[in-house]
Structures are given as structure tokens and as C-alpha cells.
Amino acid sequence: MRVSEGDVAGLVRSRWGGLLAEIGGGAVERYAEGVPVPKKWFADAGALGLQAFPLPAAVAGADADAVTWGRALEEIGYLCADPAFPVVVSIHTGIASLLCATGNAHLVHTYALPISRGECLPALAFSEGTDLLSMRTELTAAGPDFRLSGRKEFITGGLLADVFLTYASDRHGDLVACLVPAHDDGVEVVPARSAGFRTAGAASVTFKDVRVPADRVIMSADGLSHAQQYLNSRRAVIASFTTGQMRRLLESTVTRLQDSVRYGQRLMDLPNVQAAVGRMYVSVEASRSIVHRALARLDAGDGDPFFDPVVSAAKHHVTEQALAVLNEAFRVLGGHAYYGDPHYGMFLREAFGLLAGAGTQDLLEINLGMCAAQKGKNPA
């Protein structure tokens, strides 16, 4: 399903605008206390068809294409004052999409369908503080089933999760992917501390000889490629909702500058302030442009499913520009941004977290450089 840009914004506002405003209403207090987004709001979103929107008809989804879903996420990022909500809900839909792609009826009906309804909250148990080839979590055969042991250090939405999609090494050193319910024996979930993502329910998870039935192993070989496909699509998602948050930040900054008077003159009328806002505007619109191109590339099937240079460049560019927009806002707003409106600090923390999301900026630069060297002047 493809919906025009203006119609996507209207659709998001009419279907989910009220819920997004409700979620954002208590975001500052939750953020200060480190309280995750309440699970009930994901159920409410599911009842309104949000999680099903990008998913196929097999799970009663609307089958929105990448461009439409990306623009919807941008609008969600713009409308919702809690920066964690689009992060977590997009993880849910991403995992549900992976499960639908397996074609396994058991996985689709047992997990993907409840996820699409907001009745089952998944999380990606991936990071161990190592690279993909050095994971220490192990999955070993135990009769007809398997046993999982290891530790995952930072899981966004982990405190909210009903089930974890996790990756582990088998006896041959190959990566495999499996599903592990949070209530299974041997699963220990504890809060993870970080500079940001304070309402995202971040957790660390330890697996101690956890029994994994064979029907929960979703990739028994080449889990590395499976993970790379997820991370590639994740970069486009991150870039999408972040551009919405940048738009919100720009507009709130302009409103404040128009209402602030110094020495008998509105701050917004000062040439140096206008120039700063102009730079913010360029950052936002340039970010939107590269994201829309990356999304269209995914829909056209022109990209590399494992590491697409345009998608990766979009995530890299948007992250850097989000930090640039924040820098300009703090400079022109001064104390208001630092201690007057806590939303600026919230977004600052989240934006720095994006530096490591779905591949660090430095690693993306290295890989993009290799792509450019292999393909000449136009790496895409």
C-alpha cells in the first residue's frame, strides 16, 4: 500500500494522534524517573492498527510499503513527545516482519499475529559489546531441543518484552536466531543503565541453560545474514522517526524565539538567530530528502538487502544532522534549552544514542568508503 505524503500525515493524525498525545503527556516525568512507556499503550496502539500498518495481510496488516511506513514513523516522531515510543514500536514491527518473512505458519500465528495486535511485545536481544563474529552466547543441541546460555547487555524495550529474538553461536561457530519467552526458566531480565533511552525499558538479559524447543529456532544457519538484513532495514527506520523529532525540535525552537524579546527586539528578528534557524531548516529538509530516497530504494528492490549504501548513508546523515540541529537550538535558546524545557535534553540524550544504533557511525563510514571504492564515484 502506498499513500501520498500529505495523506500519510493526515492518516497518522486521525488514527493515532490522540493516543500519541496521551503517550507524550507524561513523558517528561517518566523520563526523569526512568519509567518505561506503559505496556497498555502498545496494546491500545495495536487495537488501533498501528503495529499492523506495515505488516502483510497474513497478520491482518495493511501492507504499507517502506515509503508509506517511513513517512508514518516520521509523523509519529513529530507528534509523540516521548522519544522512546517510535523506537520501541518500530522494533516490534521489525521483528514481526522477520517472522512473517519465514513463511512458518506456527511462528506467524503464535508470535507475529499477537505482535501486530500489541498483545505480545518482542525485543531484539542482540548486543553483547562485541562484533557479529565474536558473540559469546551459545545455542547447543540437547536431544530434540536446544539449550541457550549467555548474556545480552543492552536491549531496547527489554523490560517490556514478552519474548526475545536473540542470536547465538552454534557448535560450528555459525550464528543462529531463536525466540525465547521472557518467562522461561533460566531467563533473567534486569534494568540496564544508560545516558539516554530512559523510557524505552532498556534491559540486560542473562540466559542460563534455557530450553529452546526446535520450533522456536527461526534461523538454524547463516544467522549473520539474517541479522544484517534486520540491521539494514533498521537504519531506514531510525532515520525516519528521527527526522520527525527534528521537525518538532525546529518548530518548538522557532516558537520560543518568536515569543522571546531581548533589548526590545524579538530574538527571531536578529540576523544571527535567523541564520541559525536557517541552518536547522537545511538540516531537517536535507535529512528528509535522503530518507525518502532510501525508502524508495527499498521499495524498488534496488538496494543491497544486507548493507545498502544509501540506507546506511541516510542513517549516518540524519544522526549527524540531529546533533547539528540540537547544537544550534542550544546556542540560540541558551538557558531555556538547558534547563527551561526538558524536551531538549531528552532529545539530546536520544540523539547521542543514535551514534551507536544499527551500526556505529565510524563503522558505517568505513563500510561506505569500501562501497565507494568498489563502485566508483557513485556507491549507490
Side-chain angles (χ1 to χ4, degrees), residues 246-260 268 273 277 280 325 328-330 332-333 336-337 344:
M246 292 166 66
R247 282 172 48 206
R248 181 186 184 96
L249 187 76
L250 171 60
E251 291 185 13
S252 63
T253 299
V254 169
T255 298
R256 176 68 183 184
L257 292 171
Q258 289 174 334
D259 293 340
S260 299
M268 194 63 239
V273 173
V277 172
M280 294 172 71
V325 165
E328 297 287 1
F330 272 81
V332 295
L333 293 176
H336 177 74
Y344 286 91

Side-chain angles (χ1 to χ4, degrees), residues 27-366:
V28 170
E29 293 75 18
R30 287 195 304 274
Y31 203 92
E33 298 174 8
V35 176
V37 178
K39 293 183 72 169
K40 73 171 289 291
W41 278 328
F42 295 102
D44 291 346
L48 294 172
L50 176 54
Q51 289 92 321
F53 187 61
L55 299 178
V59 289
D63 205 18
D65 60 15
V67 169
T68 301
W69 177 231
R71 287 175 172 168
L73 283 173
E74 178 184 335
E75 199 64 23
I76 291 168
Y78 172 79
L79 292 174
C80 188
D82 191 324
F85 183 75
V87 176
V88 177
V89 81
S90 62
I91 290 173
H92 295 172
T93 58
I95 292 175
S97 295
L98 288 178
L99 296 175
C100 289
T102 66
N104 184 309
H106 169 71
L107 294 175
V108 170
H109 290 287
T110 305
Y111 296 102
L113 185 58
I115 291 170
S116 74
R117 295 170 175 165
E119 298 167 355
C120 174
L121 307 189
L124 181 70
F126 187 81
S127 175
E128 298 184 11
T130 65
D131 59 64
L132 283 171
L133 300 177
S134 306
M135 284 194 174
R136 296 180 290 269
T137 299
E138 295 183 342
L139 188 72
T140 57
D145 300 325
F146 298 88
R147 293 285 175 175
L148 178 71
S149 293
R151 177 178 172 81
K152 301 294 182 176
E153 293 185 352
F154 190 89
I155 303 171
T156 304
L159 295 179
L160 301 165
D162 300 304
V163 64
F164 297 103
L165 168 61
T166 192
Y167 293 83
S169 297
D170 66 10
R171 64 188 181 89
H172 301 293
D174 195 8
L175 276 188
V176 295
C178 59
L179 294 170
V180 183
H183 58 73
D184 273 6
D185 290 340
V187 178
E188 181 183 2
V189 181
V190 297
R193 306 301 178 188
S194 66
F197 294 100
R198 292 182 175 181
T199 58
S204 296
V205 177
T206 301
F207 304 112
K208 298 179 180 178
D209 198 30
V210 179
R211 174 179 170 271
V212 179
D215 62 5
R216 290 191 200 152
V217 177
I218 66 172
M219 288 292 294
S220 58
D222 198 18
L224 178 61
S225 295
H226 190 259
Q228 293 283 26
Q229 283 183 289
Y230 176 83
L231 292 173
N232 190 61
S233 63
R234 185 75 193 146
R235 292 177 193 121
V237 166
I238 288 171
S240 295
F241 62 70
T242 302
T243 56
Q245 293 167 339
M246 292 166 66
R247 282 172 48 206
R248 181 186 184 96
L249 187 76
L250 171 60
E251 291 185 13
S252 63
T253 299
V254 169
T255 298
R256 176 68 183 184
L257 292 171
Q258 289 174 334
D259 293 340
S260 299
V261 176
R262 298 290 185 273
Y263 307 108
Q265 189 174 13
R266 291 191 317 166
L267 283 178
M268 194 63 239
D269 293 335
L270 299 176
N272 64 310
V273 173
Q274 292 170 343
V277 172
R279 290 189 291 272
M280 294 172 71
Y281 180 82
V282 170
S283 292
V284 171
E285 290 304 317
S287 295
R288 296 183 75 200
S289 294
I290 192 172
V291 171
H292 293 170
R293 185 188 171 209
L295 295 169
R297 184 176 171 85
L298 291 176
D299 278 336
D302 294 336
D304 186 323
F306 303 109
F307 184 86
D308 185 73
V310 176
V311 170
S312 297
K315 183 267 172 177
H316 183 283
H317 178 80
V318 169
T319 298
E320 298 296 330
Q321 294 310 303
L323 292 170
V325 165
L326 280 160
N327 181 59
E328 297 287 1
F330 272 81
R331 285 178 177 274
V332 295
L333 293 176
H336 177 74
Y338 191 76
Y339 56 78
D341 183 345
H343 290 94
Y344 286 91
M346 289 165 59
F347 185 43
L348 180 66
R349 290 173 178 271
E350 308 307 275
F352 271 106
L354 298 180
L355 290 170
T360 65
Q361 298 291 89
D362 286 351
L363 185 58
L364 292 180
E365 290 168 0
I366 292 169

